[in-house]
Amino acid sequence: MGFLSHRVKRSDLEAGDHIYTWRTPVFAYSHHGIYIGGDKVVHFTQHQNLSSGDSTSFRFSSSITDVTADCLDFPDCGFRKHTSGVVMSCLNCFLGDGSLYRFEYGVSPVVLITRLRSGTCTTAKSDPPEDVIHRAMHLLQHGFGKYDVFSNNCEDFALYCKTELVVCTQRGSGGSGQVSSVVGVPVAAILSLPLKMFVSNPVVLGATAVVSYNLNRYASDVGVRDDVVKVNVEGVAAFHGKLLAEVDGGADVAGDRRKKRRR
């Protein structure tokens, strides 16, 4: 195991594995999916951009290479329902030019914190492979709700397939470790600001920021969060729809309050 990720060979893969591939040489972001066997992967994307041809915004927001209709490896590569962002691709199209990595489950808190990047492992336990594959294939047919880069992305999809866990509050982010890494940097910087009034040593300030960053990553892990629940796959799409309606309703209420204050 490495500090950044867990690179594996294709021959090491087993059906039901949560896999991912880094999209830049500097490990800036990664795309996640569930390997279902037969060199096929089910993964979650921002599906509206599949048909728009806007490859730049698509790669940034959902971190997937183009799923071409003329894939020569598998005739059903790129299959998805019209209104769904869940796609089945061949392993070659999923990886693109990237390398293959396997997400780890059931790691200790120490291992989780010592990883330089989140989005590579979790303390949560994985369910049996047959359950994982069943969820992935069900969601391929019925969807996984609306894609959101912060609260419902490809990593959230793979984590759900493996654990049946979803975040049930509106804290602004789902269970994605990548998102917790991005959010953790400014949070750590803000938390270390009061210390600058009493300490000028840059080493101490840097160490404090690192500790804050890692504590935030740990607290955001789906294996330890207190705002996650198990939702069976038949009801997860409706669950996401309910959360979205609550968020939209809250935004409408806040907007009405602001209008009343202006009056």
Side-chain angles (χ1 to χ4, degrees), residues 31-42:
H31 185 54
H32 296 244
I34 298 296
Y35 180 71
I36 59 173
D39 279 342
K40 295 182 181 181
V41 184
V42 177

Side-chain angles (χ1 to χ4, degrees), residues 114-153:
T114 54
R115 290 285 177 263
L116 295 181
R117 280 293 308 270
S118 295
T120 63
C121 59
T122 178
T123 60
K125 303 285 187 179
S126 171
D127 290 335
E130 56 271 22
D131 294 340
V132 176
I133 296 171
H134 168 70
R135 290 175 196 138
M137 296 305 294
H138 180 91
L139 296 176
L140 179 64
Q141 297 294 328
H142 298 90
F144 190 61
K146 183 179 180 180
Y147 183 97
D148 185 280
V149 69
F150 290 106
S151 61
N152 195 39
N153 59 35

Side-chain angles (χ1 to χ4, degrees), residues 214-229:
N214 284 328
L215 289 177
N216 178 73
R217 288 174 51 211
Y218 176 73
S220 300
D221 181 63
V222 294
V224 299
R225 290 175 66 157
D226 60 2
D227 60 346
V228 295
V229 294

Side-chain angles (χ1 to χ4, degrees), residues 235-258:
V236 71
F239 182 87
H240 280 305
K242 180 181 178 182
L243 280 182
L244 182 61
E246 290 175 355
V247 171
D248 291 342
D252 291 341
V253 170
D256 291 340
R257 287 175 179 171
R258 285 193 294 269

Side-chain angles (χ1 to χ4, degrees), residues 7-27:
R7 189 169 180 175
V8 294
K9 299 178 181 178
R10 295 188 181 211
S11 58
D12 295 330
L13 287 180
E14 297 180 0
D17 278 348
H18 173 173
I19 62 175
Y20 61 98
T21 181
W22 294 100
R23 287 304 187 217
T24 66
V26 294
F27 299 89

